[in-house]
Amino acid sequence: MIDRRILLASVASLLGLAAFRWLRASPAQAAEKFEIEKTDAEWRAQLTPQQYEILRKQGTERPGSSPLLKEHRKGIFACAGCDLPLFSSDTKYESGTGWPSFYQPLENAVGTTQDRAYGMVRTEVHCRRCGGHLGHVFDDGPKPTGLRYCMDGFALVFHPATPSAT
């Protein structure tokens, strides 16, 4: 006969394993195919260690550490992995979070997936072309969208607008 303690311990272990699998983040790269796909070695060779950790391993930067936080010139913020234009400077705003924030991406620039890391459910934002993790989107942003795309600055590169010829 099975000892009650062994049975309870076994059930608790199985539930713990199931909960751990549910709480883990599910990277966008595993869920879908992207136009640009590279090996892990190719990404490591192309990106800085910090960019690799954010874009390919769903990491994040310390709040306030990105130089793009204070970028206020006109231009385009693009993916640091594949240079796809993602956000216009016209949609950037100061959210007070310590990360560059935008209220709207460019059309057909980003994708989203459910992120269950850290015991909560969030909406992860990734580059639609290479699948690089960019940050998360929240519903506490300004008008007109009410959204806050809270992006890791090291996942982005900035391309200033060219001055118009006058």
Side-chain angles (χ1 to χ4, degrees), residues 25-38:
S26 53
Q29 294 89 325
E32 55 187 289
K33 293 285 187 186
F34 296 98
E35 290 174 39
I36 296 177
E37 293 192 357
K38 298 182 181 188

Side-chain angles (χ1 to χ4, degrees), residues 2-157:
I2 296 178
D3 184 85
R4 193 179 303 177
R5 285 180 286 182
I6 294 173
L7 178 62
L8 289 175
S10 298
V11 169
S13 296
L14 287 173
L15 289 174
L17 181 60
F20 177 74
R21 288 183 53 91
W22 181 83
L23 293 174
R24 275 190 349 185
S26 53
Q29 294 89 325
E32 55 187 289
K33 293 285 187 186
F34 296 98
E35 290 174 39
I36 296 177
E37 293 192 357
K38 298 182 181 188
T39 66
D40 193 57
E42 289 171 324
W43 283 120
R44 283 184 187 274
Q46 175 187 331
L47 303 169
T48 68
Q50 191 164 25
Q51 288 172 326
Y52 176 82
E53 179 62 27
I54 293 167
L55 286 165
R56 308 318 305 170
K57 298 298 180 186
Q58 291 72 41
T60 193
E61 65 205 22
R62 285 186 346 272
S65 64
S66 169
L68 294 183
L69 186 61
K70 296 189 182 343
E71 181 58 70
H72 300 293
R73 294 176 291 172
K74 292 280 186 193
I76 296 293
F77 294 84
C79 176
C82 71
D83 210 33
L84 178 71
L86 302 171
F87 297 93
S88 166
S89 61
D90 294 336
T91 65
K92 186 174 187 276
Y93 72 99
E94 180 54 54
S95 66
T97 61
W99 289 277
S101 296
F102 305 85
Y103 62 79
Q104 177 177 308
L106 295 172
E107 189 171 333
N108 197 29
V110 302
T112 60
T113 55
Q114 193 176 73
D115 177 359
R116 293 183 170 174
Y118 307 112
M120 63 182 121
V121 178
R122 300 180 292 174
T123 303
E124 184 249 348
V125 178
H126 60 269
C127 173
R128 71 116 183 116
R129 185 161 63 186
C130 72
H133 170 80
L134 302 170
H136 293 86
V137 62
F138 303 95
D139 62 1
D140 60 358
K143 292 180 179 179
T145 65
L147 298 174
R148 173 173 51 96
Y149 286 82
C150 190
M151 302 292 98
D152 284 288
F154 288 102
L156 306 173
V157 292

